Amino acid sequence: MAASQRLTHVLVTLALLILCVLMVLYPAATWHAGVRGLSIWWDVLFPSLFPFLVLSELLLGFGIVHFLGTLLNPLMRPLFRVPGSGGFVFAVSCASGYPTGAKLTAQLWEQKLVTREEGERLVAFTTSSDPIFMIGAVSVGFFHNVAIAPLLVVSHYAAAFLVGMLMRFHGGTVKGSQPDNSSASSAKKIPGNRLIRAIYAMHEARKADGRAFGELLRHAVSSSLRLIIIVGGLVVFFSVMLELLVQTGWLGGLYGITEQLLRHSGLPPSLSPSLVGGLFEVTLGNKEAGSAGASVPLVYKVAAAAFVLSWGGLSVHAQIMSVLSNTPMRYAPFLFARAIHALIAPLLVLLLWTPMMGRSSSPVLMEPGFIPSLSTYVPDWGLIFLTGIIVFASILVLLLFLTILSYFFKPRRHAKK
């Protein structure tokens, strides 16, 4: 074990030294790649992540997460084998994108609201892209076709839901593995309906936290800023690394292997740059998918974009690993879930193409300049935040509706005479 660790250390050190040399040899490409990564972070990631990170910290401190957890527990436990608070994590993650789900899951583990296996299941299906990126950046900015946005959004989130149901089989049921949550256990002893127990759980969680609003807000802002800076650094780093690999031509072999696999699968080989680019970074992979040759049917381009969005890129994987580094949650289940998500989402695109897009395999693209408000994508912080709030509220309402609906299908217990 020690020998393998030493070998890994040597290989990582050697790779970093080579990267430093390449940065010296290609200073202009390094500069432009760094600026591009910084622009992605500032224009897209910061406005979509930071407000929701602060908001989720405040809601956790005020006990709203415990309130929703008690209400959603009858739905989340049978479907995903996670506590009801996982519904809140799923809603925030869909609204703001990765790595918010991992951040909130780590906080739930710190408060002993989830076990290690529950946290791994939760991170597996709450790591998703945000809708404003899929609609604005991908559909409008890269494909110049706003009509594909609903298909991308539906396939991405439906695949995440299916991944959550598949990951419920991850981990065994070990005695004593349930988290020790005193407020939740005390709420179960309160007589009355579930709403009263949820209010009691929120009250107990707020008393246990005990911080004043000012202190809670300061901690929420500072911790969110630390995470968002880490995310930005990783985005810039992987943007530079990928650009250097392109400049040196080292990706040529990977392009060739991917082309052969696509050819044997009956898919257009020209999608290789999109898949290889998306292996490292989401934005580049989707940009390559949108700019693929005109000979490639649009359905395959959208399927490639769905694959890239669901895989997340090694940049997102590094973000998740950094967030989970202080918890016992492992990376392997997350990697497996990303691979499954990346396979299911393109399949859903192919299956839903005709029902959602019509029988035409290549609908007319929206020409740039045809509709000025839709032909280009300019990130707008207010629009990003408003869209996130709408998605967050919509998913919570949907989950609450499904929870209420589940009561009608629950088998009734007849009292013994």
Side-chain angles (χ1 to χ4, degrees):
M1 187 67 177
S4 62
Q5 289 180 347
R6 286 195 297 268
L7 178 61
T8 302
H9 178 74
V10 170
L11 292 177
V12 171
T13 304
L14 181 61
L16 292 176
L17 290 175
I18 293 175
L19 187 62
C20 291
V21 173
L22 292 177
M23 291 175 65
V24 174
L25 294 177
Y26 299 96
T30 301
W31 165 262
H32 289 298
V35 171
R36 183 172 63 247
L38 187 62
S39 176
I40 293 171
W41 174 73
W42 179 253
D43 291 334
V44 179
L45 296 180
F46 195 97
S48 64
L49 284 178
F50 182 72
F52 287 95
L53 290 174
V54 175
L55 182 64
S56 60
E57 289 263 6
L58 293 176
L59 293 179
L60 193 61
F62 276 95
I64 302 297
V65 176
H66 299 73
F67 174 81
L68 293 173
T70 304
L71 290 180
L72 296 175
N73 201 58
L75 176 70
M76 302 301 290
R77 280 287 180 194
L79 283 180
F80 308 113
R81 286 181 66 199
V82 297
S85 53
F88 172 82
V89 176
F90 182 65
V92 176
S93 178
C94 290
S96 58
Y98 19 64
T100 311
K103 169 65 174 176
L104 294 179
T105 303
Q107 290 179 308
L108 293 182
W109 179 83
E110 290 174 358
Q111 296 195 6
K112 298 182 178 180
L113 296 177
V114 295
T115 62
R116 185 186 71 172
E117 287 76 15
E118 289 172 344
E120 291 170 351
R121 296 186 203 115
L122 190 55
V123 173
F125 76 95
T126 58
T127 301
S128 57
S129 179
D130 60 284
I132 197 65
F133 179 76
M134 289 186 280
I135 297 171
V138 179
S139 302
V140 175
F142 298 150
F143 280 83
H144 304 290
N145 187 357
V146 74
I148 68 170
L151 180 62
L152 270 179
V153 173
V154 168
S155 62
H156 185 69
Y157 290 135
F161 188 87
L162 293 176
V163 168
M165 296 189 69
L166 290 174
M167 289 299 293
R168 74 182 306 277
F169 301 104
H170 164 68
T173 305
V174 182
K175 186 178 180 180
S177 63
Q178 292 298 321
D180 180 20
N181 182 22
S182 57
S183 61
S185 59
S186 299
K188 294 180 181 178
K189 302 176 183 179
I190 300 298
N193 58 31
R194 186 169 292 274
L195 179 60
I196 295 178
R197 295 199 299 270
I199 295 174
Y200 180 81
M202 178 179 66
H203 175 67
E204 289 296 310
R206 180 58 187 149
K207 284 201 309 181
D209 186 277
R211 289 175 293 177
F213 177 75
E215 183 182 359
L216 184 62
L217 179 62
R218 179 188 61 80
H219 182 268
V221 172
S222 61
S223 62
S224 300
L225 277 176
R226 284 196 298 270
L227 176 61
I228 203 70
I229 290 174
I230 292 174
V231 169
L234 289 171
V235 169
V236 172
F237 174 78
F238 276 92
S239 178
V240 170
M241 185 181 71
L242 182 58
E243 180 64 26
L244 292 176
L245 292 176
V246 172
Q247 291 292 329
T248 55
W250 290 352
L251 289 180
L254 193 53
Y255 284 146
I257 295 174
T258 308
E259 288 177 0
Q260 291 298 324
L261 292 175
L262 290 173
R263 187 175 288 108
H264 288 303
S265 303
L267 300 174
S270 54
L271 291 176
S272 174
S274 170
L275 301 183
V276 173
L279 179 67
F280 293 92
E281 213 279 314
V282 176
T283 307
L284 180 62
N286 282 284
K287 185 177 181 180
E288 292 289 346
S291 61
S295 60
V296 181
L298 182 60
V299 60
Y300 293 127
K301 295 181 183 180
V302 177
F307 173 88
V308 172
L309 287 167
S310 301
W311 168 252
L314 295 181
S315 174
V316 171
H317 286 237
Q319 296 170 27
I320 301 299
M321 292 175 67
S322 66
V323 171
L324 300 181
S325 59
N326 294 326
T327 71
M329 286 176 271
R330 297 160 294 185
Y331 170 68
F334 171 79
L335 178 62
F336 175 77
R338 289 300 91 215
I340 297 298
H341 196 175
L343 291 176
I344 295 178
L347 290 177
L348 290 178
V349 169
L350 298 177
L351 292 174
L352 297 174
W353 183 262
T354 299
M356 296 188 66
M357 299 292 292
R359 293 187 175 276
S360 175
S361 60
S362 55
V364 178
L365 292 178
M366 182 183 64
E367 296 293 337
F370 180 70
I371 304 178
S373 61
L374 294 178
S375 60
T376 57
Y377 171 64
V378 179
D380 180 80
W381 284 33
L383 178 62
I384 290 175
F385 180 71
L386 179 61
T387 305
I389 289 293
I390 293 174
V391 171
F392 171 68
S394 301
I395 292 179
L396 275 185
V397 170
L398 176 62
L399 292 176
L400 288 171
F401 173 75
L402 292 176
T403 303
I404 295 173
L405 198 63
S406 66
Y407 283 103
F408 294 98
F409 295 96
K410 185 182 295 184
R412 300 180 181 275
R413 297 179 180 179
H414 299 282
K416 295 182 179 179
K417 295 182 179 181

